[in-house]
Amino acid sequence: MLRAFRDAFRIPDLQRKIVFTLLLLAVYRLGSSIPTPGVNSAALSQGTNSGLFGLISMISGGNLSQFSIFALGVLPYITASIVIQLLTTTLPPLEKLSKEGEEGRKKINQYTRYAAVALGTFQAAFFASFINADPSYLAVGWEPGLFTILVMVLTQVAGIAFTMWIGERITEVGVGNGISLIITSGIIAMYPREIAATAVLVRESADAPWLLRIVAFIAVILVTIAGIVYVYQAERRVPVTYARARGGAAGQARSAGQATWLPIKVNQAGVIPVIFASAMLIIPNLIQNATATRAPGVSSWIATYLTFGQPLYIALEALLIFGFTYLYNSVQFDPKRIAEQLREAGGFIPGVRPGTPTAEFLGTISSRLSLWGAIFLVVLTILPQLVQKATSITTFQFSGTGLLIIVGVALETLKQLEAQLTVRRYDGFISKGRIRGRMNRDN
């Protein structure tokens, strides 16, 4: 795959696409350094480094901690996409649109943009109210009030719309999925500063235990990356045989008896269960803030047992990840629908009867893979917390979720480059063949 990235620079068309993508990502990162009017970024960064705020800040490349004009970035779009995706499988009108080809997908994308702007307005109002609640978060000359909230909300909505435009332009004209690349660039943007802080720690720590901790920390990160690559590409291939001829992807009929397979990924849900679990676990923090004066006992108990890194917090996070993994996979992977599609296409799984037995067989496989996928996400979420506690290294925010996003986007982008290189080589081969054929006819 790395060779595909190297070969892409040798083709002018792909080279222009890569440069275009990098330029738009640079524009996004430039906007990430511009703070929202009325915000004291230095004071705000101290209050948004844990829980859901920390997760959002990590995904946005620290934009939330600074509350830049791109503080929310693509997060409303991601949330709206997940909601629309779930509704597509439950609401008949959206399901009908999804089956209408390119026009249906355009309408669904349009609905997703509207939902993203509406959701982003609500989220911007929430964060603006959070900032206005503490005058220390406001810049000099700004006072808490409706005008300040309105300025912040309008700035954030404009930033959300512009970020969505950048992502769509990268997807249409550039290389890779624009939204995913924006998230990845935000996560990677935090690494140089954290690596520099860790390097300072290495220079200042002359004793052997600290050096051993840092070496162990790096080793765990490398092992985690290798595990993510292995699990991300892991899939269960269910053999499928077609009893009659059917149309192929290129319009060619496939012969009867042809065997293929149905791939089912181990980690079908990606990082969505982790995001949902983190969103649910911010509720205790909200309860703690609301009961700080009225019920100090409840607030103290939450601060003691339900804060980031505590055993009860980790246990609840693991249970929520398991639950959301099974819920999301059950919505995305419908065994009955797939069994019906196989029967209509004349396909069947060898040794399994079509219809209900096929649906039950696929459901069993999906449940088992969901179990391993949930275990993988739990380990990926809890491992960084345990490693940071054991090594006492806090200068580098080791996040399994961030690594999963980076590795997944990198693999998908390289696959797209490989596919485009293959198409261009194939087209070049056909063109050369036509030229040779004409020369032979002329001779």
Side-chain angles (χ1 to χ4, degrees):
M1 289 187 178
L2 292 177
R3 185 176 60 184
F5 188 77
R6 181 197 63 191
D7 294 343
F9 280 96
R10 299 177 180 176
I11 300 177
D13 184 24
L14 288 180
Q15 188 176 4
R16 285 192 296 268
K17 288 187 175 184
I18 294 175
V19 172
F20 178 80
T21 301
L22 294 177
L23 286 176
L24 285 187
L25 291 177
V27 171
Y28 171 75
R29 294 310 309 165
L30 179 63
S32 300
S33 61
I34 304 174
T36 299
V39 176
N40 185 351
S41 302
L44 183 63
S45 62
Q46 302 299 323
T48 56
N49 55 2
S50 63
L52 180 62
F53 293 106
L55 179 64
I56 297 175
S57 184
M58 181 269 296
I59 293 177
S60 62
N63 291 344
L64 181 63
S65 61
Q66 302 174 359
F67 209 68
S68 68
I69 60 175
F70 295 153
L72 295 178
V74 297
L75 290 173
Y77 183 83
I78 294 172
T79 307
S81 298
I82 295 172
V83 172
I84 295 296
Q85 194 175 15
L86 295 176
L87 292 177
T88 301
T89 60
T90 56
L91 294 180
L94 288 178
E95 186 177 2
K96 182 180 178 181
L97 275 178
S98 65
K99 297 178 180 178
E100 291 181 358
E102 186 64 27
E103 291 299 323
R105 284 193 294 270
K106 287 182 179 179
K107 290 183 179 179
I108 291 178
N109 290 336
Q110 188 176 5
Y111 295 153
T112 304
R113 295 189 200 100
Y114 293 153
V117 172
L119 184 61
T121 303
F122 174 78
Q123 292 176 346
F126 171 78
F127 286 114
S129 301
F130 171 78
I131 293 172
N132 274 258
D134 191 342
S136 64
Y137 291 159
L138 297 177
V140 178
W142 289 79
E143 297 292 336
L146 181 61
F147 176 76
T148 301
I149 293 177
L150 184 61
V151 170
M152 293 181 181
V153 170
L154 290 177
T155 303
Q156 290 304 312
V157 171
I160 292 168
F162 187 70
T163 304
M164 285 193 299
W165 180 83
I166 290 177
E168 291 177 354
R169 294 303 298 167
I170 290 176
T171 303
E172 295 174 1
V173 183
V175 176
N177 183 281
I179 302 298
S180 300
L181 288 173
I182 286 176
I183 298 174
T184 304
S185 67
I187 299 173
I188 295 176
M190 301 177 65
Y191 286 166
R193 180 173 63 252
E194 296 176 353
I195 291 174
T198 307
V200 172
L201 181 64
V202 172
R203 289 197 301 268
E204 295 177 352
S205 303
D207 55 334
W210 262 107
L211 294 177
L212 290 176
R213 290 179 184 178
I214 292 174
V215 171
F217 188 80
I218 296 174
V220 171
I221 291 178
L222 295 177
V223 171
T224 302
I225 293 175
I228 290 173
V229 173
Y230 180 78
V231 176
Y232 187 86
Q233 295 182 318
E235 61 185 17
R236 168 71 184 274
R237 295 182 175 181
V238 181
V240 177
T241 301
Y242 290 92
R244 62 175 183 268
R246 68 186 188 95
Q252 298 177 350
R254 295 187 178 182
S255 59
Q258 181 175 357
T260 181
W261 60 77
L262 174 68
I264 306 177
K265 283 184 168 294
V266 174
N267 182 27
Q268 302 178 60
V271 297
I272 292 175
V274 179
I275 295 175
F276 281 1
S278 300
M280 293 296 294
L281 285 174
I282 198 176
I283 296 177
N285 293 333
L286 299 177
I287 296 175
Q288 178 190 358
N289 295 332
T291 59
T293 56
R294 299 179 181 179
V298 175
S299 178
S300 176
W301 187 87
I302 293 175
T304 304
Y305 298 103
L306 283 180
T307 55
F308 185 79
Q310 296 299 321
L312 183 58
Y313 181 96
I314 294 175
L316 285 177
E317 190 174 24
L319 290 176
L320 287 172
I321 290 174
F322 266 89
F324 283 122
T325 299
Y326 276 93
L327 176 63
Y328 187 82
N329 289 347
S330 65
V331 174
Q332 288 298 110
F333 186 84
D334 188 358
K336 292 183 180 179
R337 178 172 54 85
I338 295 177
E340 186 66 24
Q341 290 175 351
L342 286 176
R343 185 169 61 180
E344 292 176 356
F348 64 93
I349 300 174
V352 182
R353 297 181 61 183
T356 302
T358 298
E360 293 176 352
F361 179 76
L362 293 175
T364 302
I365 294 177
S366 179
S367 297
R368 292 176 179 175
L369 292 179
S370 296
L371 173 63
W372 290 108
I375 292 175
F376 166 71
L377 290 176
V378 168
V379 172
L380 203 61
T381 304
I382 296 176
L383 180 63
Q385 303 177 36
L386 299 179
V387 170
Q388 286 186 336
K389 274 195 169 185
T391 59
S392 300
I393 297 176
T394 59
T395 54
F396 188 89
Q397 296 300 317
F398 173 33
S399 170
T401 306
L403 290 178
L404 178 61
I405 294 173
I406 293 174
V407 172
V409 173
L411 291 175
E412 291 298 330
T413 304
L414 288 175
K415 285 181 181 179
Q416 286 193 22
L417 283 176
E418 268 194 335
Q420 294 193 27
L421 285 171
T422 302
V423 169
R424 281 163 174 76
R425 289 167 183 165
Y426 184 72
D427 291 342
F429 176 77
I430 292 178
S431 300
K432 291 179 181 179
R434 289 175 178 173
I435 293 174
R436 290 174 182 173
R438 291 174 183 174
M439 292 177 63
N440 291 334
R441 286 196 302 269
D442 294 340
N443 293 333

